[in-house]
Amino acid sequence: MKQRMRGLRRARASSVLLLAGAAVLCATGCGDAGPERATVTGTVRLNGQPVKAGSIAFYPTEGTRGPSAGGAIEDGRYRVDSAKGVVVGKSRVQVNSLQKSGRMIPDAINPNAMMEEYVEAIPPQYNSESTLIREIAVGENRLDFDLTGM
């Protein structure tokens, strides 16, 4: 009986130590909110004209870690709030905007119908092959993009 009681005390002491260790770990890292994020706003122009509609995305690069973030471009302006914002550090920027080509193509859903074709209006060096790298700082960032081509 005495041996069983000693075993229970040791188990209880081990449990207390384990819980204390877990509390210390959680205080120093558990529940980490993830990477620091920032608000990014600005304008996007193509050949001097505001991009009417599209999207902008920021992909962490060059040692910066975290999720990508982005938002809509409307009348040449965009805003990505810090709540779901861009990770602080370096990001590759990708800009997309579709425009009508003026051609009609077969509708993929209804093969007996035709639909307007949309094509990417932004040159590949700013989206699928983006060379745009920007440093994102803590707080509010203003990044304007004056793109050329096509």
Side-chain angles (χ1 to χ4, degrees):
M1 184 74 166
K2 281 186 178 183
Q3 198 169 0
R4 186 168 186 218
M5 290 299 285
R6 275 191 223 146
L8 286 173
R9 284 189 196 130
R10 280 188 193 141
R12 194 174 292 150
S14 293
S15 295
V16 169
L17 285 174
L18 253 166
L19 287 173
V24 168
L25 283 175
C26 281
T28 61
C30 269
D32 187 5
E36 189 162 9
R37 296 172 181 254
T39 297
V40 182
T41 63
T43 60
V44 181
R45 295 176 164 275
L46 178 62
N47 298 324
Q49 298 299 312
V51 171
K52 290 187 192 309
S55 64
I56 188 165
F58 296 83
Y59 296 92
T61 189
E62 298 181 21
T64 300
R65 295 196 180 274
S68 60
I73 301 169
E74 295 176 8
D75 296 321
R77 299 183 191 287
Y78 72 92
R79 178 178 181 86
V80 183
D81 287 316
S82 63
K84 292 187 179 178
V86 182
V87 174
V88 171
K90 288 195 176 187
S91 282
R92 181 177 63 84
V93 183
Q94 184 171 320
V95 179
N96 293 89
S97 177
L98 296 178
Q99 69 180 17
K100 293 178 184 178
S101 71
R103 292 181 16 178
M104 297 298 286
I105 59 172
D107 187 328
I109 297 172
N110 181 358
N112 297 324
M114 300 295 280
M115 61 182 271
E116 290 184 281
E117 178 185 51
Y118 284 82
V119 295
E120 180 61 62
I122 307 294
Q125 68 264 26
Y126 306 121
N127 50 58
S128 61
E129 300 169 16
S130 181
T131 58
L132 299 172
I133 306 291
R134 296 295 186 271
E135 183 75 32
I136 309 302
V138 173
E140 296 266 339
N141 294 260
R142 178 157 180 103
L143 298 175
D144 296 325
F145 296 93
D146 291 311
L147 313 176
T148 59
M150 295 184 123

